[in-house]
Amino acid sequence: QEMPARFRKDIVRTASERSSPILSSPGIISAEGIEHVLNNIGAGDQMSHDEIETILREIVGEASDNCDKNEKCVISEEQMLDLISNRVL
């Protein structure tokens, strides 16, 4: 069963709002934002912070401008929507 588009957009918006303000600007999602969403749905213990960072690095690519010198990566809201909608990235 597929999630309604409205629900997916709410997830993305919440992740964006809760992303690290140091790393991100409006419309950008960090690992902290994704962790917040996972905690809200009771799945916070399913993935570690490092696992989320690894997924973000795989999405944006190692040499991307979307990663800082500490290998903290961010994705766009559109990339997050694609990810939770099972669309190819």
Side-chain angles (χ1 to χ4, degrees), residues 29-32 34 51-61 67 73-75 83:
I29 298 169
S30 66
E32 291 80 9
I34 295 171
E51 289 171 321
I52 296 170
E53 287 287 352
T54 298
I55 291 168
L56 295 181
R57 273 193 300 281
E58 288 176 5
I59 292 170
V60 301
C67 298
C73 299
V74 295
I75 59 174
L83 183 65

Side-chain angles (χ1 to χ4, degrees), residues 8-21 23-37 52-53 55-57 59-60 66-67 72-84:
R8 289 191 303 264
K9 289 177 183 176
D10 284 344
I11 291 171
V12 170
R13 181 180 39 78
T14 299
S16 180
E17 289 171 355
R18 297 297 182 154
S19 289
S20 172
L23 296 173
S24 62
S25 58
I28 299 297
I29 298 169
S30 66
E32 291 80 9
I34 295 171
E35 283 178 316
H36 178 79
V37 169
I52 296 170
E53 287 287 352
I55 291 168
L56 295 181
R57 273 193 300 281
I59 292 170
V60 301
N66 289 349
C67 298
K72 302 281 186 189
C73 299
V74 295
I75 59 174
S76 69
E77 288 182 348
E78 187 63 34
Q79 287 172 308
M80 175 80 174
L81 191 57
D82 288 345
L83 183 65
I84 66 174

